[in-house]
Amino acid sequence: MRGDLVRKLIAQALSAGLAVLAFVVLALTGATHWGLGLAVAALAATGWQRRVRPQADSVAETALLAAGILVGYARHLDAAFDPALAATALVLLGLVLLVEPLRAAGEREIRTANLPVRDWSPLVAAELPAALLVLLALVAGAAAVPLPAWVALVTALLVGVAAGAVALDLARRRFRPAAGGGPVRRALRRHHPEFLLYFSAPPGSEYQVTMWLPYLERLGRPFLVMLREPELLSTVAAATTAPVVYCPTLPAMDEALVPSLRVAFYVNHGAKNGHCVRFTQLTHVQLHHGDSDKAPSANPMSGIFDRIFVAGQAAVDRYPRAGVHLPAEKFVLVGRPQVEGIEVRRGAVPTTAPTVLYTPTWTGHHADANYCSLPAAETLLRDLLARGATVILRAHPYTTQNPASARQLARLHELLAADRGRTGRAHVFGAAASRELTLTECVNRSDALVSDVSGVISDYLYSGKPYAVTDMLDLRDRFPADFPLAASGYVLRRDMSNGNDVLDRLLGEDPLADARWATRTRYLGDFPAESYAEGFLAAARRELELNAAVPTPRTADATASATG
């Protein structure tokens, strides 16, 4: 989004600009200390750039900085020729040229967590660019003192030896792969997983997979989590004791997909799902990461899966309503196990000091999926505060990716903070609502919900408490036809012009109470409250038992030829 682009451009400009300035000062002026200081600042900027743009190519900047620092070093040593400094220059040149290719090669290797494998070379390769920046900063410090050139040479050789060891190990893997697979495959064979949870999504999407991990663990069967983006590894690994494997390439997936696997579960319609669906010996099951009336919930790509686990009949009906016709046998009603901790409550909302949960969604990737109510939210919040309501504001994790949404959300936080200071009402927002509390805890603390079109409404429906839905597409009378959950809720217009009327019904007489209970069954299934999650667990176990025969795995060569 635009905020990320601006940050990346600033990082690029700082890194390149400071590197050029430092080189000019060191090479063309006598202000050596100033030049070395600028070089260290440029190295810091390059490090920040790598955090903002992990794949950034900083060879030009580091080459300029290395050259400038060496010029400053030579000037401070005041020697005609120093063999140690010349050797340092050669080592630094080699590192500048080799570090990026080694990092890229390391990124093509499997990385793991929660698995007894000590695979050092990909990890070291990933840290080499940072090590080179630190090395150049140390050499700049040695030049400023100045220390004898052999000190810089020894330091550079230590990093050079590490880079050489990584290069040799990665070359051995490439040209002389181990018979029977590498250490990751051997460890996974010993683990003997029966199913995998496959996940590919941008950083910040971890909630999509972590919401399912507790229920997959309750199956009591060994499994693994397969990731396709490296940034997700540490977060997902911290949420489970199951092995987590990052597979950057198709051959890496071949390495990780051991013969004991029978079923693959998915939680979204990511573009890389097809990389795993190609393994025909597995049964492929789509779980989704929420149940909502959003357009993506009826994605035609669902047809590539063998099974589609859905919460209730409403999710099945969503597909033909969107013009997507799939065989009925693909669908399995399993409920929405994540709602099992939600307290069910009948009865009217408290007439004094109600607590209202507000959950604006994000803007989406496309205009026709922009259900975000943040542009009109200040009017809504002021109306709620005027009624003496306590507000829990829990925004979508992607909200801050859009600069306009981030500003609007910050304004709402200011509004709630000011009211809390003035009235003492315990409004909850920011990290307190999104990190310190779970969605279930937010639902249980509230008496009513105001939400955009999102999966939060389906989850809230389980509680039986009233909710309002924002019509940000301004569909008016057509809104309940396109988004049936709205028929059991109170619809807020895009400009909030009917806000008082909606809040009167939401927080007062609640005439749709009976309709909600019928909708609840259609959306969330008819499973006993005391064993609600068992609907999913039983369906998942059936899939594993149906595929209990050990499959015949396709070899990597056969897979490669099948995919062209």
Side-chain angles (χ1 to χ4, degrees), residues 1-2 358 360-364 370-382 391 393-396 398-417 429-430 452 472 494 496:
M1 298 225 177
R2 284 182 296 178
Y358 173 47
T361 191
W362 67 304
T363 54
N370 183 359
Y371 309 111
C372 179
S373 63
L374 284 172
E378 186 170 343
T379 300
L380 168 67
L381 257 61
R382 290 189 181 279
V391 176
L393 170 54
R394 182 183 172 95
H396 192 282
Y398 288 178
T399 298
T400 54
Q401 293 182 6
N402 184 304
S405 294
R407 290 192 296 271
Q408 292 154 358
L409 183 61
R411 172 60 186 149
L412 300 183
H413 288 175
E414 292 171 1
L415 185 64
L416 292 176
F429 51 91
D452 303 338
M472 298 312 294
R494 183 167 63 182
M496 300 293 166

Side-chain angles (χ1 to χ4, degrees), residues 293 449-454 457 467-472 479 483 485-493 496 498 502 506:
D293 288 329
L449 169 74
V450 178
S451 179
D452 303 338
V453 174
S454 76
I457 301 176
Y467 60 86
V469 191
T470 62
D471 174 15
M472 298 312 294
F479 188 63
F483 304 95
L485 263 178
S488 300
Y490 306 102
V491 180
L492 281 161
R493 293 178 189 148
M496 300 293 166
N498 66 335
V502 166
L506 178 73

Side-chain angles (χ1 to χ4, degrees), residues 185 253-255 257-259 274-282 284 551-564:
R185 185 170 182 84
M253 290 181 63
D254 292 331
E255 178 89 356
L257 285 162
V258 293
H275 295 175
C276 192
V277 172
R278 69 194 176 101
F279 291 91
T280 57
Q281 73 269 24
L282 302 176
H284 303 278
T552 302
R554 297 166 74 180
T555 66
D557 291 341
T559 302
S561 63
T563 57

Side-chain angles (χ1 to χ4, degrees), residues 106 108-112 119 122 184 245-248 252-253 255-256:
R108 297 179 64 81
E109 297 292 324
I110 293 179
R111 286 164 51 191
T112 67
D119 204 8
V184 173
V245 182
Y246 160 60
C247 294
M253 290 181 63
E255 178 89 356

Side-chain angles (χ1 to χ4, degrees), residues 335-362:
R336 170 93 172 129
Q338 288 81 4
V339 305
E340 66 175 348
I342 291 177
E343 299 166 1
V344 179
R345 188 175 80 195
R346 285 179 179 265
V349 172
T351 55
T352 58
T355 298
V356 178
L357 173 61
Y358 173 47
T359 57
T361 191
W362 67 304

Side-chain angles (χ1 to χ4, degrees), residues 64 248 280 342 428 532:
L64 267 180
T280 57
I342 291 177
V428 184
Y532 185 83

Side-chain angles (χ1 to χ4, degrees), residues 6 67 102 104 112 126 158 203 298 325 391 399 420 422 483 510 526 559:
V6 170
L102 288 178
T112 67
L158 290 175
H325 300 282
V391 176
T399 298
R420 183 170 60 188
R422 185 171 57 254
F483 304 95
D510 188 19
D526 191 14
T559 302

